[in-house]
Amino acid sequence: MRELLVETGHPYTVHIGQHAIGLLSDRYRELLAQADRVVIIADSRVAELHLDKLLSELEEYHPLVFQVPAGEQAKSAASFMECHSFLLAENCSRNTVILAFGGGAVGDLAGFVASTFMRGVPFIQVPTTILAHDSAVGGKTAINHPLGKNMIGTFYQPQAVIYDSSFFDTLPDKEVRSGMAEVIKHAFISNEQWLEELLAIEDFGAMSESELSLHLEKGISVKAAIVEEDEFEGGVRKFLNFGHTLAHAIEAFLGYGKLTHGEAVVLGMAYALELSDSNRLNDFLKWAKDNGYPLGLLLELPFEALLPYMKKDKKSTAAALNFVLLGSIGRPYVEKVEEHQAQSAFNQLRITIKEMI
Ligand SMILES: NC(=O)c1ccc[n+]([C@@H]2O[C@H](COP(=O)([O-])OP(=O)(O)OC[C@H]3O[C@@H](n4cnc5c(N)ncnc54)[C@H](O)[C@@H]3O)[C@@H](O)[C@H]2O)c1
Ligand SMILES: [Zn+2]
């Protein structure tokens, strides 16, 4: 089992490995035993697959379970209110502890519920996706507004992140791809040698459990270091948006859910590498192709349609586009890019992709 301390204003530990959930009846017994209620907010798909296993670790605390719709649907104002209604109906109090059980979506929702119920109750993240190595650490919570994703939320750190790799066995391939995209993003912005190791992977399915846990630990340590330095996103935390300006534009243009977040981020990172004039673009495209990311989609997306969304990006100002680019591996910076430059880099990337797929 690996563990890592996140030293934010309120420090907490991330535990990663097979049977990490065993810690709930061990290291976290005190926290859970003193709670008047232990409430699991669970993604319904994850509950169907893995709830029994989690419940068997929590028997002595007689937990209550509230299931929310699987995936992004969980992050609605309606399900936020339903969670609060459930907590109130069950006479929960400030001494209640909430567990988030599922991917980033349920983690964001349950974190927001925990941060607002009675002005804040403790919560533990029990993430079940690879992508959640990113979302479960850092303390951003959110639900979606019809006018924008993640528009309502708080900064609220969990008491612990219990990251049990045995849950990954049931992840669909596209969710593995989605999560691995954020892993390689963390490598791009931090460490060349680690990036080489990741680029050498031609088939995620062939990764061993311990290899994957090690990559997740590295990813979490990059995220944790950045969050520790900039908990409330005034500076370096922006670097975590490497690849995200175009990714968010693609997701918004296509409609959320058409492709996974990480698949969009891979397209966005390819574009950011093109804009950075990086010599790693071809290796990255090969890696993306081998691992089944939908590179061909870039040939179909009209730049003019994506541009307005990129202009709306939180990093951009009125007229200029701002991107996180790479000086070299591990050296991200934010750069203003003129529209015509953005257009020609997009065309160039399309030519390169067309030649290789
Ligand atoms: N708070 C942050 O800092 C942060 C950072 C990145 C992303 N996010 C958020 O995270 C969300 C994406 O998270 P995600 O990619 O984990 O997606 P997700 O939570 O939507 O889960 C993806 C799908 O996988 C299913 N699933 C989850 N675990 C499973 C398992 N073990 N086996 C089988 N199926 C499983 C879910 O039911 C869902 O259908 C987005 O809402 C995004 O905004 C937040
Ligand atoms: Zn992301």
Side-chain angles (χ1 to χ4, degrees):
M1 181 107 50
R2 303 168 186 284
E3 73 174 57
L4 204 141
L5 185 67
V6 185
E7 298 192 69
T8 39
H10 150 86
Y12 54 98
T13 306
V14 183
H15 307 270
I16 313 158
Q18 290 278 4
H19 202 61
I21 54 168
L23 292 167
L24 291 166
S25 52
D26 173 354
R27 174 140 165 193
Y28 294 96
R29 168 173 276 138
E30 206 179 323
L31 173 71
L32 293 167
Q34 61 76 38
D36 59 358
R37 293 272 191 289
V38 173
V39 178
I40 303 167
I41 297 184
D43 172 296
S44 61
R45 173 74 186 135
V46 175
E48 193 183 319
L49 293 164
H50 302 293
L51 186 61
D52 289 348
K53 196 171 160 198
L54 180 63
L55 286 176
S56 70
E57 292 301 329
L58 293 166
E59 245 169 23
E60 62 181 296
Y61 314 116
H62 308 291
L64 305 168
V65 179
F66 188 67
Q67 292 195 23
V68 293
E72 199 64 25
Q73 301 301 318
K75 288 174 66 172
S76 68
S79 71
F80 170 76
M81 283 302 284
E82 283 162 17
C83 288
H84 276 275
S85 303
F86 179 82
L87 296 171
L88 290 168
E90 295 291 346
N91 294 318
C92 292
S93 76
R94 280 207 176 135
N95 290 323
T96 294
V97 175
I98 293 178
L99 269 66
F101 189 44
V106 106
D108 279 9
L109 167 76
F112 186 46
V113 169
S115 77
T116 47
F117 185 71
M118 307 253 167
R119 300 199 177 79
V121 295
F123 89 112
I124 296 178
Q125 292 269 17
V126 186
T128 61
T129 62
I130 292 173
L131 186 129
H133 85 281
D134 184 358
S135 61
V137 175
K140 278 194 191 175
T141 82
I143 57 170
N144 301 325
H145 187 281
L147 294 179
K149 191 168 147 62
N150 294 334
M151 285 298 144
I152 306 171
T154 51
F155 285 99
Y156 193 67
Q157 305 292 344
Q159 299 293 313
V161 180
I162 313 272
Y163 206 3
D164 193 325
S165 49
S166 59
F167 295 131
F168 301 151
D169 293 349
T170 53
L171 270 181
D173 288 349
K174 70 181 166 69
E175 300 301 339
V176 173
R177 277 199 291 278
S178 187
M180 289 306 293
E182 299 283 9
V183 173
I184 207 164
K185 176 197 79 178
H186 285 130
F188 268 117
I189 63 172
S190 70
N191 181 328
E192 180 149 27
Q193 199 193 329
W194 177 32
L195 177 71
E196 300 300 342
E197 286 168 28
L198 288 168
L199 285 175
I201 303 175
E202 290 172 350
D203 172 12
F204 294 142
M207 262 186 306
S208 69
E209 186 276 329
S210 65
E211 203 183 335
L212 176 57
S213 289
L214 184 63
H215 290 310
L216 294 177
E217 184 190 358
K218 286 182 175 164
I220 290 169
S221 69
V222 172
K223 172 116 193 214
I226 290 181
V227 170
E228 284 164 8
E229 189 178 333
D230 180 19
E231 190 168 347
F232 303 107
E233 198 159 324
V236 292
R237 195 161 179 167
K238 292 197 180 81
F239 297 154
L240 294 170
N241 284 326
F242 178 60
H244 281 58
T245 308
L246 180 64
H248 287 152
I250 294 173
E251 289 182 285
F253 174 68
L254 289 179
Y256 292 101
K258 291 284 185 326
L259 77 177
T260 63
H261 175 64
E263 287 170 329
V265 171
V266 161
L267 302 180
M269 287 191 284
Y271 185 49
L273 290 173
E274 176 69 52
L275 282 165
S276 307
D277 206 14
S278 166
N279 59 8
R280 304 318 304 267
L281 176 64
N282 286 333
D283 296 341
F284 179 64
L285 290 176
K286 179 179 180 311
W287 174 88
K289 185 182 169 207
D290 289 347
N291 286 297
Y293 289 93
L295 291 176
L297 194 63
L298 263 192
L299 306 179
E300 296 160 23
L301 291 166
F303 180 78
E304 307 69 43
L306 298 171
L307 189 62
Y309 293 104
M310 290 200 278
K311 284 188 171 165
K312 267 203 246 166
D313 186 272
K314 289 194 200 97
K315 287 179 299 306
S316 295
T317 48
L321 294 155
N322 278 297
F323 287 89
V324 178
L325 301 184
L326 284 184
S328 56
I329 304 307
R331 302 206 175 282
Y333 61 99
V334 176
E335 176 84 336
K336 188 151 77 153
V337 173
E338 300 295 333
E339 217 173 286
H340 70 89
Q341 255 180 299
Q343 164 97 64
S344 67
F346 195 80
N347 295 343
Q348 184 53 51
L349 178 61
R350 291 229 268 218
I351 293 168
T352 310
I353 288 177
K354 210 171 193 167
E355 280 167 4
M356 77 173 294
I357 62 175

